[in-house]
Amino acid sequence: MKEFFRSISPRRAAQDLITVWQEPNRHRWPVLGLALAITFSLFMLFIPDDYRTQPAAPEIIFISTYEDNRTEQEIIASNCRNQELKDAMQARLDARAELRREMYIALGRATFLDVDKMVEEAEANRAAAEAEAAANAPEPTPEQLVTVEEYCARALG
């Protein structure tokens, strides 16, 4: 088997193809067309019909975890509970971020870095980003100025 593959060379095959193609022969174009047609036909046989048609539309199933007949008061109460949960989670994340910041400050002091200068730069960058965000933010509407507690008290109350 080694001898068979040793005698096959892609470069020699390309040279043979060029030599045969350059010889004047009236059958080379029809043979080329037939070879392309056979190759195309074989490839088309291996492509399943599913890939040539439009996929079926997906069946949509609606799953609701809420009751269909909830009142406006129940919806608002649920939203208020969720907002309280979200606020509590954000407070925990903020506390963790502050703890992480203090740990990095302690690490910086332990490695003799100028932590106070770094904190000042970080605060200046944070203040500049907040000022830019406030400058680019649209003017809040009166409804947006109401706090969550005020909204929940008015709606439920």
Side-chain angles (χ1 to χ4, degrees):
M1 192 67 151
K2 247 183 190 178
E3 292 297 323
F4 175 74
F5 285 115
R6 200 172 284 157
S7 65
I8 296 175
S9 167
R11 191 173 78 195
R12 277 198 328 208
Q15 288 173 348
D16 287 346
L17 177 66
I18 291 170
T19 304
V20 169
W21 187 257
Q22 288 176 348
E23 290 178 5
N25 187 346
R26 63 185 188 130
H27 299 292
R28 67 179 169 184
W29 288 108
V31 169
L32 177 66
L34 182 65
L36 290 174
I38 290 172
T39 304
F40 179 75
S41 300
L42 284 174
F43 275 111
M44 291 308 291
L45 284 175
F46 290 114
I47 296 176
D49 291 336
D50 295 337
Y51 292 118
R52 285 191 253 159
T53 61
Q54 289 291 332
E59 181 181 342
I60 299 174
I61 300 172
F62 292 98
I63 300 174
S64 177
T65 57
Y66 301 113
E67 295 178 22
D68 291 337
N69 55 356
R70 292 190 313 159
T71 64
E72 184 82 21
Q73 297 296 323
E74 291 172 337
I75 294 171
I76 292 172
S78 171
N79 290 348
C80 290
R81 282 192 306 271
N82 289 338
Q83 185 63 44
E84 289 171 3
L85 179 64
K86 180 181 172 189
D87 292 343
M89 288 172 53
Q90 187 62 45
R92 286 185 67 191
L93 289 173
D94 292 344
R96 294 288 300 172
E98 184 61 32
L99 177 65
R100 191 177 310 114
R101 207 173 292 120
E102 290 172 6
M103 288 170 46
Y104 279 119
I105 288 172
L107 177 66
R109 286 202 172 102
T111 56
F112 305 106
L113 293 176
D114 188 8
V115 177
D116 297 327
K117 180 181 174 186
M118 294 172 141
V119 169
E120 287 176 12
E121 288 176 7
E123 290 296 327
N125 290 341
R126 190 176 302 124
E130 288 175 0
E132 182 180 340
N136 293 338
E139 198 64 36
T141 62
E143 292 104 21
Q144 292 174 334
L145 294 176
V146 175
T147 64
V148 174
E149 292 80 16
E150 291 174 359
Y151 172 76
C152 291
R154 284 185 204 166
L156 297 176

